[in-house]
Amino acid sequence: MTYCVGMVLDKGLVLMSDTRTNSGVDNISVFRKMFSWSVPGERIITLMTAGNLATTQAVISRLEERTKQPSDRQNSLMELPTMFQVAAETGKLLREVIHETQDDNGRLGKGRFTASIILAGQIKGMEPRLFMIYPEGNFIEASFDTPFFQIGETKYGRPILIRGYDRDMSFEDAVKLLMVSFDSTLKANLSVGLPLDLMVIERDGFGAKHERRIESSDPYFNAISDSWSEALRSAFHSLPDYSFYQPDETT
Amino acid sequence: MTYCVGMVLDKGLVLMSDTRTNSGVDNISVFRKMFSWSVPGERIITLMTAGNLATTQAVISRLEERTKQPSDRQNSLMELPTMFQVAAETGKLLREVIHETQDDNGRLGKGRFTASIILAGQIKGMEPRLFMIYPEGNFIEASFDTPFFQIGETKYGRPILIRGYDRDMSFEDAVKLLMVSFDSTLKANLSVGLPLDLMVIERDGFGAKHERRIESSDPYFNAISDSWSEALRSAFHSLPDYSFYQPDETT
């Protein structure tokens, strides 16, 4: 499994991904699932991937035209004029890769090579944008009604995102929120694992404002993980107490 | 979908279930998923079901021998000497019902008629016990390492259960904890719905200590739902703040 979240804020975009891949619980590895390209001052584009690793690596390689000699490569991510076209091109490649691998009349097991992608970025002259790209190659865009996308193991970490998100929150608060969401997911699903990759893209910055790998020894992540249990327990005890005698029974 | 939780405490057992069944989002109904039988002073047995409704209703009907004339019926739940035997009998019926419906060489779609059951109760002279019964008819028992079972849509409501549970908590706190867990699930998955059924079984009480249906108008549930958002937000803000300048970068 995987867990990746991309979030739109008034101030820009914040993205976090885990790095665990597994083929059975007895075969786990660390692979980067966040990929970023930028033309400083003009554009920054970041992708996060979930699903079959061979599929997602093939999509990234094709985006960078790694089948060609380095001198002949044209990275379309660096050249396409709009984020919409970047999403369309990425979706097309994703669909092609899945189709090629799957094109066996179902013998290999339908759905085994599937993948999803979160695409975020900004190109000069346009707004920061966030897309979710489906295995079929089509995609949706985030809005302030649905200001974040999750892929992979989305459920454990969702309640806190729903309740903690504010479009005008600071980048620091957004990172904290993502860490809590990832911590809940890591605690519940062994197929999501540290280290985490973090990317903060400031509106009109056209570059990474803040980019880090969060290792298992990270003191801030560990402080969040430790204190969140305590904070949740306090929150729980601050709620009104249940009584076996309900108001309608005592009147 | 469905959401049911059964929990073992030092003081006894606490169970909660939702009541929504759906066949597509355009076809939802309210059906009870919690069923209870007792011989006052001697035993109390409660079942909660998730999965195909025809399957689970058939299991309940067979347990009560509703195929027979009322005068000929022998409810094995009232007579079996141990909770282990109740679990085994329930599992056997569950497996049989699924097998009969599914016995078509897969034409009807494998897995469509599957179901799971949480079984809780106590028989005089023995401890309160909690089982999870699988569609195959086998089952596991809760212990204080894994003191609660969930069936149905288990993920959204799990992080708070993991962090809030204490074996020596009061029944009132356990009910509060379940309400928070159900509220998170209801907010995230439309196929889990109010009203909820609640059952509290006190150790050596051999009857329902507290049994209620929680409707959407329930003032306590609504107070929990409203104040949990606020409490979570306070908990979140009580955590240490993230800084873009990490200790290792400033030294």
Side-chain angles (χ1 to χ4, degrees):
Chain A
M1 195 71 98
T2 283
Y3 185 39
C4 303
V5 183
M7 197 178 265
V8 192
L9 305 175
D10 285 342
K11 298 184 178 58
L13 300 156
V14 186
L15 312 168
M16 193 175 279
S17 62
D18 85 317
T19 54
R20 180 159 294 172
T21 67
N22 72 302
S23 171
V25 288
D26 54 349
N27 186 2
I28 64 171
S29 315
V30 175
F31 279 94
R32 177 170 268 277
K33 301 170 191 174
M34 182 189 284
F35 305 89
S36 202
W37 299 264
S38 77
V39 179
E42 195 269 332
R43 72 175 59 197
I44 178 159
I45 294 171
T46 303
L47 288 182
M48 295 184 293
T49 61
N52 182 272
L53 186 65
T55 296
T56 57
Q57 289 198 349
V59 171
I60 301 298
S61 298
R62 290 188 196 193
L63 281 169
E64 295 187 326
E65 293 198 329
R66 291 196 210 148
T67 50
K68 298 185 184 170
Q69 295 285 340
S71 58
D72 297 339
R73 291 177 192 171
Q74 289 195 298
N75 183 341
S76 50
L77 293 173
M78 307 296 250
E79 292 163 10
L80 287 168
T82 65
M83 286 299 296
F84 182 88
Q85 286 195 33
V86 172
E89 176 67 14
T90 308
K92 186 172 135 276
L93 289 176
L94 177 60
R95 179 193 172 98
E96 276 174 19
V97 171
I98 294 171
H99 186 73
E100 286 164 20
T101 320
Q102 201 67 71
D103 189 16
D104 64 339
N105 296 310
R107 282 196 313 280
L108 291 175
K110 193 163 154 46
R112 275 185 60 195
F113 303 100
T114 196
S116 308
I117 294 177
I118 291 175
L119 166 69
Q122 186 181 14
I123 296 176
K124 199 162 186 174
M126 288 162 278
E127 291 289 295
R129 298 179 75 177
L130 177 68
F131 296 91
M132 161 104 94
I133 304 172
Y134 296 107
E136 293 78 6
N138 58 352
F139 51 88
I140 57 174
E141 183 174 3
S143 66
F144 278 107
D145 289 326
T146 299
F148 55 84
F149 288 135
Q150 304 168 283
I151 51 177
E153 174 55 276
T154 60
K155 294 188 179 183
Y156 296 114
R158 190 170 176 83
I160 185 65
L161 287 184
I162 291 175
R163 277 157 149 153
Y165 174 86
D166 255 321
R167 59 182 286 178
D168 62 353
M169 70 200 304
S170 67
F171 283 131
E172 287 83 354
D173 271 0
V175 171
K176 180 159 83 170
L177 181 60
L178 287 172
M179 288 205 182
V180 172
S181 176
F182 271 75
D183 180 54
S184 292
T185 310
L186 292 163
K187 280 207 167 52
N189 187 332
L190 284 180
S191 72
V192 177
L194 291 162
L196 309 177
D197 287 313
L198 166 65
M199 168 69 83
V200 177
I201 297 172
E202 194 168 27
R203 169 186 283 269
D204 299 334
F206 306 111
K209 178 181 172 63
H210 184 68
E211 189 179 4
R212 271 189 64 218
R213 173 152 286 194
I214 296 145
E215 304 281 352
S216 59
S217 59
D218 187 85
Y220 181 72
F221 183 77
N222 288 317
I224 291 290
S225 182
D226 293 342
S227 43
W228 183 238
S229 287
E230 199 41 57
L232 263 191
R233 242 172 304 217
S234 305
F236 176 69
H237 287 296
S238 77
L239 297 178
D241 285 329
Y242 186 73
S243 163
F244 280 8
Y245 302 98
Q246 296 300 304
D248 57 333
E249 292 173 356
T250 54
T251 51
Chain B
M1 194 73 97
T2 282
Y3 184 39
C4 302
V5 182
M7 196 179 266
V8 192
L9 304 174
D10 285 342
K11 297 185 178 59
L13 300 156
V14 185
L15 311 169
M16 193 176 278
S17 61
D18 86 316
T19 53
R20 180 160 295 173
T21 66
N22 73 302
S23 172
V25 288
D26 55 348
N27 186 1
I28 64 172
S29 315
V30 174
F31 278 95
R32 177 170 268 274
K33 301 171 191 176
M34 182 188 284
F35 305 89
S36 201
W37 299 263
S38 77
V39 181
E42 195 270 332
R43 72 176 59 198
I44 178 157
I45 294 172
T46 303
L47 288 182
M48 294 185 293
T49 61
N52 181 272
L53 186 65
T55 297
T56 58
Q57 289 199 348
V59 171
I60 301 298
S61 297
R62 289 188 198 193
L63 281 168
E64 294 187 327
E65 292 197 330
R66 290 196 210 149
T67 50
K68 298 185 183 170
Q69 295 285 339
S71 58
D72 297 340
R73 293 177 192 172
Q74 290 196 299
N75 182 340
S76 50
L77 294 173
M78 307 297 250
E79 292 163 8
L80 288 168
T82 65
M83 285 300 294
F84 182 90
Q85 286 195 33
V86 173
E89 176 68 15
T90 308
K92 186 172 136 275
L93 289 175
L94 176 60
R95 178 193 173 97
E96 277 173 18
V97 171
I98 295 172
H99 185 74
E100 286 165 18
T101 320
Q102 202 66 72
D103 190 15
D104 63 340
N105 296 310
R107 282 196 313 281
L108 291 176
K110 193 163 155 46
R112 275 185 60 195
F113 303 101
T114 196
S116 307
I117 294 176
I118 291 174
L119 166 69
Q122 186 181 15
I123 297 176
K124 197 162 188 174
M126 288 161 280
E127 291 290 295
R129 298 180 75 176
L130 177 68
F131 296 90
M132 160 104 95
I133 304 172
Y134 297 107
E136 293 77 6
N138 59 352
F139 50 88
I140 58 173
E141 183 173 3
S143 66
F144 278 108
D145 289 325
T146 299
F148 55 85
F149 288 136
Q150 302 168 283
I151 51 177
E153 174 55 275
T154 61
K155 294 188 177 182
Y156 296 113
R158 190 170 176 83
I160 186 64
L161 287 183
I162 291 176
R163 276 156 151 153
Y165 175 86
D166 254 322
R167 60 182 285 178
D168 63 353
M169 70 200 305
S170 67
F171 284 132
E172 286 83 354
D173 273 358
V175 171
K176 181 158 83 170
L177 181 60
L178 287 172
M179 287 204 182
V180 172
S181 176
F182 272 74
D183 180 53
S184 292
T185 309
L186 291 164
K187 281 206 165 52
N189 187 332
L190 284 180
S191 72
V192 177
L194 291 161
L196 309 177
D197 286 314
L198 165 67
M199 167 69 83
V200 177
I201 297 172
E202 193 167 29
R203 171 187 282 270
D204 300 334
F206 306 111
K209 178 180 173 65
H210 184 68
E211 189 179 4
R212 272 188 63 218
R213 173 152 286 194
I214 296 145
E215 304 282 351
S216 59
S217 60
D218 186 84
Y220 181 74
F221 183 77
N222 288 318
I224 290 289
S225 182
D226 292 342
S227 43
W228 184 236
S229 286
E230 201 40 56
L232 263 191
R233 241 173 303 216
S234 306
F236 176 68
H237 287 296
S238 77
L239 296 178
D241 285 327
Y242 185 71
S243 162
F244 280 7
Y245 302 98
Q246 295 300 303
D248 57 334
E249 293 172 354
T250 56
T251 52

